[in-house]
Amino acid sequence: MDWLLISEIIYVVLLIFVCLRIIYDTRSTTKSLAYLLFAIFVPFFGMLFYFFFGINYRHRKMYSKKLYGNDDLANKFRHDILQYSELTFKENGNAVLGNKELAFMILKDSMSPLTSKNALKLLINGEQKFPEVLNAIKSAKHHIHIEYYIYEDDEIGHAIEQALIEKAKEGVTVRFIYDDFGSRSIRKKLVPRLVENGVEAFPFLKVHFMLFANRLNYRNHRKIIVIDGVTAFVGGINVSDRYINNGSEKLYWRDTHLRIDGPGAQYLQYLFLCDWNFCADELLQPNTDFFLPSLCKQ
């Protein structure tokens, strides 16, 4: 028996399988070509390299998570959102007529409903954003959902921490998601303080070896706060003193945030709950505790 020939056949079959896997899994043409050339021209090691570093197993796990407990509930929630958006368009047809196709494309692609009767406030830089955030947190009655890529244990981080703890002690449910890489400075002190005082806190994609945390494009860059399902904040400003221009920093930081009061906060609620169910390994459902009754009819 010619073992060398058999080995070569097995290697070729394996190489073909790996090449097909690379083509199927890798969205970037440049990356696909690089992995293919490496696998073909560097025997064995090229294939091993792809399986160790080319496949993002955490990314696959992340997108296997859902907000819904079953497909029937998912379909029902989609149907309710579509009906809600159709009604919004009928009531505001003249105002949104030129953007109907765009609105419904976003709806079908991202489950972001068309809403009306929102109060919007543009917040320029941290000196406008953070006072609004602290006041909104203090007014919370039922729940506070907060999710950030970068949250630092500095002056503003401590102020928000204390506001969250105070509300938790009042009986308000506070859920906090922090990116385990972007907010790595709060892992050992600030997060334990929150948990000890009644705040539910979980990291997004926990990093076990910080030096090998090279999947930065799969980190959670969201900056979301949702209060009682009706007030929300979203934009480009993380929680850090660097975003506050008070003359103490040499660099002037320019960024923008948005406060939404009204049904427009519902989509940010949806995003947060999807992430929460993944991070906390829970199954919070889209009910009237979190959404408008018209979006979760029983």
Side-chain angles (χ1 to χ4, degrees):
M1 184 177 291
D2 192 340
W3 290 106
L4 179 59
L5 178 60
I6 294 174
S7 299
E8 290 175 348
I9 292 173
I10 293 174
Y11 177 79
V12 171
V13 171
L14 181 60
L15 179 60
I16 293 173
F17 167 77
V18 172
C19 290
L20 291 174
R21 175 73 180 265
I22 291 171
I23 295 171
Y24 178 77
D25 281 352
T26 311
R27 294 184 177 181
S28 169
T29 304
T30 304
K31 284 186 177 181
S32 295
L33 183 59
Y35 285 133
L36 286 170
L37 292 174
F38 200 40
I40 293 170
F41 291 106
V42 184
F44 294 108
F45 181 75
M47 290 188 287
L48 288 174
F49 182 88
Y50 170 71
F51 278 106
F52 274 103
F53 300 102
I55 301 175
N56 194 320
Y57 299 100
R58 292 179 302 175
H59 181 249
R60 289 171 172 273
K61 178 184 176 184
M62 178 174 64
Y63 284 101
S64 68
K65 299 295 179 177
K66 298 179 180 180
L67 173 61
Y68 320 101
N70 56 67
D71 290 338
D72 289 339
L73 182 59
N75 292 332
K76 174 182 171 301
F77 194 56
R78 283 179 175 275
H79 178 264
D80 291 344
I81 285 180
L82 183 60
Q83 279 195 326
Y84 178 88
S85 298
E86 289 278 8
L87 180 61
T88 303
F89 180 79
K90 289 179 181 178
E91 293 176 345
N92 304 272
N94 293 332
V96 298
L97 184 61
N99 297 301
K100 181 179 180 180
E101 291 184 0
L102 176 62
F104 279 90
M105 181 191 73
I106 295 173
L107 168 64
K108 292 179 180 179
D109 182 63
S110 305
M111 287 285 289
S112 179
L114 178 65
T115 64
S116 62
K117 300 177 182 178
N118 294 291
L120 305 179
K121 188 171 185 179
L122 197 63
L123 305 173
I124 308 300
N125 301 334
E127 53 267 32
Q128 291 187 11
K129 171 194 171 177
F130 294 123
E132 289 278 343
V133 166
L134 289 169
N135 287 333
I137 288 174
K138 292 175 183 177
S139 68
K141 303 298 182 184
H142 181 265
H143 65 264
I144 299 170
H145 293 161
I146 178 169
E147 176 175 7
Y148 273 90
Y149 174 59
I150 296 175
Y151 191 114
E152 295 186 353
D153 192 3
D154 50 18
E155 186 173 344
I156 188 59
H158 183 67
I160 294 177
E161 172 198 355
Q162 290 303 307
L164 295 176
I165 289 174
E166 288 177 11
K167 299 308 294 187
K169 289 182 177 179
E170 291 176 11
V172 174
T173 300
V174 182
R175 299 180 176 94
F176 176 47
I177 298 174
Y178 60 97
D179 185 84
D180 208 36
F181 182 85
S183 299
R184 56 192 179 278
S185 64
I186 69 172
R187 301 163 78 191
K188 295 182 178 180
K189 293 183 179 180
L190 189 145
V191 172
R193 292 199 300 264
L194 288 173
V195 174
E196 288 172 4
N197 287 280
V199 175
E200 300 177 57
F202 289 92
F204 185 90
L205 288 182
K206 188 170 182 61
V207 177
H208 297 284
F209 301 101
M210 198 61 66
L211 293 176
F212 297 99
N214 62 336
R215 298 289 185 180
L216 297 185
N217 54 323
Y218 294 122
R219 303 313 310 176
N220 186 344
H221 288 267
R222 287 180 178 142
K223 306 156 189 72
I224 294 174
I225 299 176
V226 182
I227 297 171
D228 295 337
V230 296
T231 297
F233 294 85
V234 66
I237 303 175
N238 288 288
V239 176
S240 171
D241 287 347
R242 77 183 78 169
Y243 292 91
I244 304 173
N245 300 295
N246 55 12
S248 61
E249 297 286 342
K250 294 181 180 179
L251 176 67
Y252 183 89
W253 198 285
R254 173 65 176 84
D255 216 326
T256 304
H257 226 70
L258 185 69
R259 173 173 175 159
I260 305 170
D261 289 281
Q266 299 281 278
Y267 181 59
L268 297 175
Q269 182 84 294
Y270 165 79
L271 292 177
F272 179 89
L273 292 177
C274 287
D275 288 345
W276 181 262
N277 285 346
F278 166 65
C279 297
D281 197 23
E282 290 188 22
L283 195 58
L284 297 180
Q285 295 292 283
N287 56 42
T288 52
D289 288 339
F290 307 116
F291 293 98
L292 295 172
S294 55
L295 292 183
C296 46
K297 301 171 185 176
Q298 299 299 323

